[in-house]
Amino acid sequence: MKKIIVQLNKTFDNRVRLGIMSMLMVNDWVDFTTLRDLLELSDGRLASHIKALEEEQFIEVRKQFVGRKPNTSYRATKAGKKAFTDHLDALERMIKGVKE
Amino acid sequence: MKKIIVQLNKTFDNRVRLGIMSMLMVNDWVDFTTLRDLLELSDGRLASHIKALEEEQFIEVRKQFVGRKPNTSYRATKAGKKAFTDHLDALERMIKGVKE
DNA sequence: TTAAAGTACTTTGAAAAACAAAGTTATAAG
DNA sequence: CTTATAACTTTGTTTTTCAAAGTACTTTAA
């Protein structure tokens, strides 16, 4: 039972980021406003956490026009999904396995 | 599917605190040094997170002497266990349930 | 046609949280 | 007498988080 904490990903030490990733694990291409409204965040707060996840390359962006309106959507990258499931696995192991 | 993020407890937005709580969910009375060594933390870092959890009344302390040496142990309170399982449940619901 | 509202941010600044490093008190072992 | 262990606390810095306001462009409403 070594290196318990290190296996948890620091990027996911945040409720908002957990929320974004959860959404993007199940849904392909979720747009900015949907994310903002579902997670009940301000534009700025959402944008800042999205930026953090983008910098880690855990999510990717698609910008397009729907009709005449700009539309920005996000989805989890392969690396992002892996990092997230790894994190959750580590958490589960930690909760279940910490005896001694 | 409302109030997704709010159900996650801010106190557990931290790897160290998740580690401490995980330990104390399964083990009754874990002492300071054991916690410190297993989680591979410095005295100061461990102490500060313990303090935060104590202030929330999620853990309680017992100070005694073992032989001639001081020994400080911690365990999760009822409220602490509830808060932690509530948090984990919310997380699970969020991961599994965020469709739409 | 002027005003208001929506989309998707960025910037700024402040507050909160986290952390490392060193200091502390007290006992105990070598 | 020196070093070590236990369990912290203090100090100061760095990092993180967030709210609030600003921006640029478009569209819808009055």
Side-chain angles (χ1 to χ4, degrees), chain B residues 23-55:
Chain B
M23 289 287 306
L24 301 184
M25 286 300 282
V26 211
N27 307 101
D28 233 40
W29 298 120
V30 180
D31 65 38
F32 189 88
T33 34
T34 305
L35 230 31
R36 184 197 59 198
D37 296 345
L38 265 155
L39 301 177
E40 300 175 275
L41 302 168
S42 65
D43 289 6
R45 195 173 165 195
L46 175 59
S48 74
H49 288 291
I50 278 176
K51 198 181 166 193
L53 291 169
E54 265 187 79
E55 277 165 8

Side-chain angles (χ1 to χ4, degrees), chain B residues 10 13-14 16-17 42 44-45 49 68:
Chain B
K10 193 164 191 298
D13 260 18
N14 176 288
V16 173
R17 248 115 79 180
S42 65
R45 195 173 165 195
H49 288 291
R68 303 295 207 86

Side-chain angles (χ1 to χ4, degrees), chain B residues 4 21-22 35 37 46 48 54 62 71 77 80 86-87 97:
Chain B
I4 295 178
M21 288 307 291
S22 296
L35 230 31
D37 296 345
L46 175 59
S48 74
E54 265 187 79
R62 181 188 63 188
N71 179 272
T77 61
D86 283 354
H87 175 81

Side-chain angles (χ1 to χ4, degrees), chain A residues 1-59:
Chain A
M1 180 56 54
K2 280 276 124 176
K3 306 284 176 204
I4 296 178
I5 277 176
V6 195
Q7 299 184 43
L8 297 174
N9 195 322
K10 195 164 190 299
T11 311
F12 303 128
D13 261 18
N14 176 289
R15 291 170 337 302
V16 174
R17 248 116 78 180
L18 291 175
I20 297 170
M21 288 307 291
S22 295
M23 290 286 307
L24 301 184
M25 288 300 282
V26 210
N27 307 101
D28 233 39
W29 298 121
V30 181
D31 64 38
F32 189 88
T33 35
T34 304
L35 232 31
R36 185 199 56 199
D37 295 345
L38 265 156
L39 301 176
E40 301 175 271
L41 301 168
S42 65
D43 289 7
R45 194 172 166 198
L46 175 59
S48 73
H49 288 291
I50 278 175
K51 198 179 165 193
L53 292 168
E54 266 187 78
E55 276 165 8
E56 296 284 333
Q57 316 221 65
F58 287 171
I59 66 177

